[in-house]
């Protein structure tokens, strides 16, 4: 009865999956293998075909990935522990430096893996591979562990250098290539979509907050301090505007920085060293700026000159590093190009305003100096009247 129920569920599942039939069940293998079950995986142009043998608790499978090159590696794995990358038991295939197609097993115990060959936690009696027309296929027979039939499975591809598989990309579909599969019923679930969707939302919020705070509000606050103070009517309003813009940017940027820490914690295998290090430096420098505000000497104090040098140098360093790190983050986030162009347009607009205000500021300053000189030496300033 139990066997009948499982077969019934499998038939219903295959009927419900008719939308993927053209890519999956209709495929004809060169070795004429026939698989009763198949699934079009939701990422990386991949497909899994299999036959489950209940009597021996084994699975004959074929993992296909299209759109790869002869210099790529591909891998499919199950994780008996239920995790994703760490603990994954991989079937790997790639063309080595001698041009020979290599298929082997590789257990993953760390995020720094290079898919070294090694035995899995379960037996793999057979493994082979073929590569034709930019498609890699791994054929294998595996003995399922612990009498289970339902597992988390993960699949990936990346570039190979000689005989060494390199790290795969950590963006786009590469973070969604995880799901669950039950070999006996054929039921699958895309657990990667919900997780990746949540992570992508956090990344987007992280990016927006940091662009607005560090990349737009900070420069505007600096411009308010530099260019408004030359106008007598703007005193002391320029100072309060400067403090308002910079403190708001700092608070918003602190939230964005915290989201970045969460992303790093939730993705220990994703390396963003440059972006992370610049972000940490920015936060430290900005925090020093905030505390330096409480140590600001009076305008006629003997240390005010040195405080101004410190405040200005740290402030402009923060702005430059912010812009660099925003573009670094946009490259990693890989959004539509229009967002990078939009931010570049904002910078050009702010830069144009700064150039105009800089010219006008110098005009006002030089005019004030000439007026001051005229007031001190009226005869030299007006030799006709002094004659």
């Amino acid at each position: 009865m139990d066997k009948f129920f499982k077969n019934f569920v499998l038939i219903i599942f295959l009927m419900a999956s008719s939308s993927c039939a053209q890519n999956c069940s209709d495929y004809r293998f060169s070795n004429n293998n026939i698989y009763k079950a198949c699934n079009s995986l939701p990422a990386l142009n991949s497909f899994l075909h299999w036959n489950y043998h209940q009597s021996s608790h084994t699975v004959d499978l074929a993992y296909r990935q299209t759109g790869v090159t002869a210099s790529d590696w591909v891998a499919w794995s199950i994780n008996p522990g239920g995790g994703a990358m760490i603990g994954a038991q991989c079937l790997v295939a790639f063309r080595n430096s001698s041009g020979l197609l290599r298929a082997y097993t590789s257990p993953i115990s760390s995020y720094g893996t290079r898919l070294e060959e090694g035995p899995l936690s379960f037996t793999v009696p057979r493994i082979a591979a073929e590569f034709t027309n930019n498609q890699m296929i791994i054929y294998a027979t595996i003995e399922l562990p612990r009498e289970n039939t339902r597992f988390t499975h993960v699949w990936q591809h990346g570039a190979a250098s000689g005989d060494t598989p390199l790290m795969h990309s950590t963006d786009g579909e590469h973070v969604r290539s995880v799901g669950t599969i039950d070999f006996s019923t054929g039921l699958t679930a895309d657990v990667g979509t919900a997780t990746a969707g949540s992570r992508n939302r956090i990344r987007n919020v992280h990016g927006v907050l940091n662009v607005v705070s560090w990349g737009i509000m900070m420069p505007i606050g600096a411009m308010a301090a530099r260019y408004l103070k030359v106008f007598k009517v703007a005193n002391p309003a320029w100072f309060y505007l400067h403090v308002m813009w910079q403190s708001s940017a700092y608070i918003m940027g602190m939230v964005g920085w915290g989201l970045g820490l969460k992303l790093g914690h939730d993705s220990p295998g994703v390396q963003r060293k440059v972006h992370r290090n610049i972000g940490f430096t920015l936060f430290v420098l900005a925090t020093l700026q905030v505390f330096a505000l409480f140590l600001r000497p009076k305008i006629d104090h003997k240390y005010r000159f040195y405080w101004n040098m410190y405040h200005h140098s740290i402030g402009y360093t923060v702005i430059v590093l912010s812009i660099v790190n925003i573009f670094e983050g946009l490259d990693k986030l890989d959004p539509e190009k229009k967002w990078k162009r939009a931010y570049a347009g904002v910078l050009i607009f702010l830069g144009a305003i700064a150039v105009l205000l800089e010219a006008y500021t110098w005009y006002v300053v030089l005019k004030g100096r000439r007026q001051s000189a005229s007031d001190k030496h009226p005869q030299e300033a007006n030799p006709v009247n002094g004659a």
Side-chain angles (χ1 to χ4, degrees), residues 123-259:
T123 304
V124 181
R126 180 182 67 92
I127 183 170
E130 71 175 46
F131 178 80
T132 55
N133 299 324
N134 295 108
Q135 175 178 255
M136 186 76 78
I137 305 178
I138 300 176
Y139 300 99
T141 297
I142 62 176
E143 296 182 3
L144 297 180
R146 296 204 306 258
E147 298 301 320
N148 284 339
T149 59
R150 186 177 185 275
F151 301 93
T152 299
H153 69 135
V154 183
W155 58 98
Q156 279 293 349
H157 78 84
S161 176
D163 294 327
T164 304
L166 304 178
M167 179 65 182
H168 63 79
S169 175
T170 55
D171 296 315
E173 292 192 355
H174 290 272
V175 299
R176 299 197 299 272
S177 56
V178 57
T180 60
I181 184 168
D182 192 322
F183 290 106
S184 64
T185 65
L187 295 176
T188 60
D190 178 16
V191 299
T193 298
T195 302
S198 176
R199 188 182 296 117
N200 284 337
R201 283 192 293 272
I202 295 176
R203 287 202 307 172
N204 291 338
V205 174
H206 164 76
V208 170
L209 287 177
N210 287 335
V211 168
V212 173
S213 59
W214 302 104
I216 297 178
M217 295 177 68
M218 282 284 185
I220 291 177
M223 291 167 62
R226 177 165 180 80
Y227 300 123
L228 293 182
K229 66 172 63 176
V230 299
F231 302 99
K232 293 182 179 180
V233 294
N235 277 305
W238 70 264
F239 174 75
Y240 296 111
L241 285 172
H242 174 65
V243 171
M244 180 191 72
W245 279 100
Q246 302 301 72
S247 59
S248 299
Y250 176 75
I251 293 171
M252 187 181 298
M254 183 168 57
V255 176
W257 184 72
L259 291 176

Side-chain angles (χ1 to χ4, degrees), residues 75-120:
W76 175 87
S77 66
I78 63 173
N79 194 326
M85 184 172 178
I86 300 300
Q89 307 295 299
C90 298
L91 310 178
V92 185
F94 71 97
R95 193 182 298 277
N96 63 20
S97 57
S98 301
L100 300 176
L101 200 57
R102 183 183 176 200
Y104 63 96
T105 61
S106 175
I108 295 181
S109 58
S110 71
Y111 287 105
T113 181
R114 285 294 181 264
L115 294 176
E116 297 86 354
E117 184 172 1
L120 304 186

